[in-house]
Amino acid sequence: MWAELLPVGRSSASGGYRRYAWTGADAECRAWFEDQARARGLAYETDRNGNQWAWLGDLAAGNAVVTGSHLDSVPDGGAFDGPLGVVSAFAALDELRRGGARFTRPLAIVNFGDEEGARFGLACVGSRLTAGALTVEDAHRLTDGDGITLPKAMEAAGYDPDAIGPDPERLARIGAFVELHVEQGRALDLTGDAVGVASAIWPHGRWRFDFRGEANHAGTTRLADRRDPMLSYAETVLAARREAELAGAVATFGKIAVEPNGVNAIPSLVRGWLDSRAADQHRLDTVVTGIEKAAREYAAAHGVDLDVVRESFTPVVEFDHALRDELARILGKDTELTVPVLGTGAGHDAGILSARVPTAMLFVRNPTGVSHSPAESAAEDDCVAGVRALADVLEGLACT
Ligand code: GLV
Ligand code: MN
Ligand code: MN
């Protein structure tokens, strides 16, 4: 499976993946998923929001155990964020079938569309739409950096954008969702465990800061006469770091757009996107409020206008305790003290679904903790341990 997936959407320049929603690379990943489903004799379907499903057993029976993740990537992402969960799902099913497992509940493997939000700015669009956490109107307004709307992009990829929307019937079929994911930190490396269970996802969001000044000549405009939005943006980046440090949170400006974007022009617009996350809502509010307040002061000092728009937000997610404990039990350990139970600052479709169905996550050790980078890694032995753990969990939940 890896041999087939590894070249898809890989940039030879960076070695990272550029698998953005509804692009050619995404279509190749989707074709791969469908092939995997059909090769195993699973019932394949695409739902109204473009998420892909591969079913074993009667999909209408209800109480299904679902596993899977996503195949899209951030710009120059790693090989494992997303695909590890999908590959491990198929591999775990193979393992169970080899062992002659007898399923008492339907099982499905899912590939959620547009998890990273790399193209349209909003993460987890496929699962949000399905769960009713994103309105159709808002989804129809999503636009990429080239001005292409989500409906146009879906249409170009052969999907019907008018069909998108909440999917309560599909959610009603699911009894449990378990997403396996490469860890995006070093907690397991530090505890010396190959696999852990998730406890919670930090509340997180994305905010767009538009600093508007005045374009002018870089050579002839006196410093005192400038309304340079780059200055207030730069000061805001430093304020973000300071506020995050004070609150024990994280805050990142990782994407920026500049107009007119000329070497010898003072910018008229600097648009920066803030991603901020914290262990609890209060801390996150403190950080973002502090950054915005500082940004307004800097903007005013430079004669720059500032608009701040919250583009997405996901509240804290506490995974289902009963399912989490069941996973810990199945994995052969009896208390939280022996199975590492970790919180994470990374967002996941599992976090979105957890508002609607009992949801849990397994993490596989990442020796460097690096993620959202071509340098993301996981050892083969750990990936195999992840497959075994997932197979044990699926067997414990769905087999006699
Ligand atoms: C998704 O990976 C996110 O946490 O941004
Ligand atoms: Mn990711
Ligand atoms: Mn992911």
Side-chain angles (χ1 to χ4, degrees), residues 119-145:
R119 182 168 178 192
F120 297 101
L122 178 66
C124 301
V125 169
S127 56
R128 274 185 212 273
L129 280 168
T130 298
L134 168 66
T135 66
V136 176
E137 296 70 33
D138 286 346
H140 278 181
R141 275 198 288 270
L142 291 172
T143 306
D144 73 8

Side-chain angles (χ1 to χ4, degrees), residues 75-226:
D76 288 331
F80 299 95
D81 177 357
L84 184 63
V86 179
V87 167
S88 299
F90 284 118
L93 173 61
D94 294 345
E95 190 70 8
L96 289 175
R97 282 174 151 178
R98 251 194 305 276
R102 290 159 56 91
F103 288 86
T104 53
R105 293 166 73 174
L107 180 84
I109 297 173
V110 63
N111 167 33
F112 282 111
D114 199 0
E115 193 272 350
E116 297 286 9
R119 182 168 178 192
F120 297 101
L122 178 66
C124 301
V125 169
S127 56
R128 274 185 212 273
L129 280 168
T130 298
L134 168 66
T135 66
V136 176
E137 296 70 33
D138 286 346
H140 278 181
R141 275 198 288 270
L142 291 172
T143 306
D144 73 8
D146 295 324
I148 299 170
T149 61
L150 177 73
K152 284 275 173 259
M154 285 187 81
E155 222 169 340
Y159 291 81
D160 177 8
D162 292 327
I164 66 172
D167 204 342
E169 294 84 13
R170 191 164 309 268
L171 289 175
R173 296 176 187 169
I174 305 174
F177 175 57
V178 181
E179 179 172 359
L180 178 147
H181 204 280
V182 68
E183 200 205 335
Q184 296 170 295
R186 285 191 54 222
L188 292 173
D189 188 51
L190 295 173
T191 60
D193 293 278
V195 177
V197 175
S199 56
I201 299 180
W202 286 12
H204 56 281
R206 299 178 183 186
W207 291 260
R208 199 185 73 223
F209 284 59
D210 287 350
F211 296 89
R212 286 176 206 279
E214 186 178 44
N216 211 332
H217 196 292
T220 58
T221 317
R222 292 187 328 141
L223 293 181
D225 292 341
R226 298 180 181 206

Side-chain angles (χ1 to χ4, degrees), residues 211-215 227-229 267-270 302-305:
F211 296 89
R212 286 176 206 279
E214 186 178 44
R227 290 174 54 218
D228 184 350
S268 55
L269 168 74
V270 175
H302 294 292
V304 163
D305 296 325

